[in-house]
Amino acid sequence: MLDDFLIRAALAGLGVALAAAPLGCFVVWRRMAYFGEATAHAAILGVALALALGLPILPAVLVTALLMAGAVSALSGRGYAMDTVLGVLAHSALAIGLVAVALLADVRLDLMAFLFGDILAVNKADLAVIWGGALAVLGLMTWRWSALLTATLNPDLARASGIDPRREELAMTLALAAVVAVAIKVVGVLLIAALLVIPAAAARPLSRTPEAMVIGAALIGMGAVLGGLWAALLLDTPTGPSIVCTAALLFAATTLAGALRGRI
């Protein structure tokens, strides 16, 4: 019989994996992996601001992630290369957040839990937030699926069809910020981007359609969560990194399978 905390951890991880699957596919298709990392790094700054101002952490993280996304969009259109903007903002936000947390003398904070996650400490309230956010993201992705896909594959065709690519990018940014906000408890700031990108990248060699890739990414993400939890329990290793390591192994396996299928 599994302990209650393990069941809650598994449910939390499955919720995050389901939310991250469709969004991770768009991140891979748009080649925006570093964008997800920059948004995730901004979360630690949101945590610091929430503690300093006495605000709830989840809304503060969500707002900070959205502000980061807005800053990236604004600066990328002013002559800076996207990778340069992302590099400057991602590392600056993380460093400022860490310094701000260190300056909060009256606040005791388990910084490692925010950096690498503490999925085993998830409670029922956290589960409600995670699954509420996951269902909201899935609903948004389902609603905007056709428009998002068209804007991602061919922006010119999207404009000709009356679809505003900037609006669809904003919708994806909102979903990304929501995933970062709910996933920080599970895998932490430093590993959120990995959970977004690796399952989607692992599903790509075995998928023939976008819908199949999303379903494959969801299954791989859920498998990584359950396998990582089992490995952490068996080997007494950190849970968040164990989940990401399992996802990396699945990526290696699907890449090899895709290469073998191509030769056959």
Side-chain angles (χ1 to χ4, degrees):
M1 184 67 180
L2 292 175
D3 293 328
D4 287 343
F5 76 93
L6 284 175
I7 295 175
R8 289 195 299 269
L11 289 174
L14 293 176
V16 171
L18 283 175
L23 194 57
C25 290
F26 280 104
V27 168
V28 169
W29 292 331
R30 288 173 174 258
R31 299 180 181 180
M32 294 174 63
Y34 208 8
F35 183 83
E37 186 174 350
T39 308
H41 283 184
I44 200 68
L45 180 57
V47 171
L49 292 175
L51 294 175
L53 301 176
L55 301 174
I57 289 179
L58 183 64
V61 169
L62 183 60
V63 170
T64 308
L66 287 173
L67 289 175
M68 169 63 80
V72 170
S73 297
L75 289 176
S76 62
R78 295 181 177 271
Y80 294 99
M82 178 63 78
D83 59 344
T84 301
V85 172
L86 290 173
V88 170
L89 293 182
H91 299 303
S92 297
L94 180 61
I96 293 170
L98 293 174
V99 170
V101 168
L103 293 176
L104 298 175
D106 297 331
V107 177
R108 294 180 60 87
L109 178 67
D110 184 6
L111 194 57
M112 295 297 289
F114 285 103
L115 290 176
F116 297 102
D118 192 8
I119 191 173
L120 297 180
V122 168
N123 54 39
K124 292 181 179 179
D126 293 327
L127 275 180
V129 170
I130 289 169
W131 275 94
L135 292 176
V137 170
L138 287 174
L140 178 62
M141 291 290 101
T142 302
W143 175 44
R144 305 303 306 170
W145 173 259
S146 179
L148 273 169
L149 193 60
T150 303
T152 297
L153 298 179
N154 194 327
D156 293 332
L157 177 61
R159 293 188 188 94
S161 304
I163 299 171
D164 184 0
R166 297 285 293 179
R167 183 185 62 198
E168 303 310 320
E169 183 177 340
L170 179 61
M172 195 185 75
T173 299
L174 178 63
L176 181 61
V179 168
V180 168
V182 301
I184 191 172
K185 185 83 174 183
V186 177
V187 291
V189 168
L190 298 181
L191 303 178
I192 290 174
L195 199 59
L196 276 169
V197 174
I198 295 177
R204 192 169 191 171
L206 305 180
S207 305
R208 295 185 180 274
T209 65
E211 292 80 8
M213 183 171 165
V214 169
I215 294 172
L219 293 175
I220 290 170
M222 291 188 290
V225 167
L226 297 178
L229 281 172
W230 177 80
L233 183 65
L234 185 67
L235 304 174
D236 193 24
T237 54
T239 312
S242 297
I243 291 173
V244 176
C245 287
T246 305
L249 289 175
L250 292 174
F251 169 75
T254 59
T255 301
L256 179 61
L260 291 176
R261 188 176 69 174
R263 289 186 177 183
I264 294 174

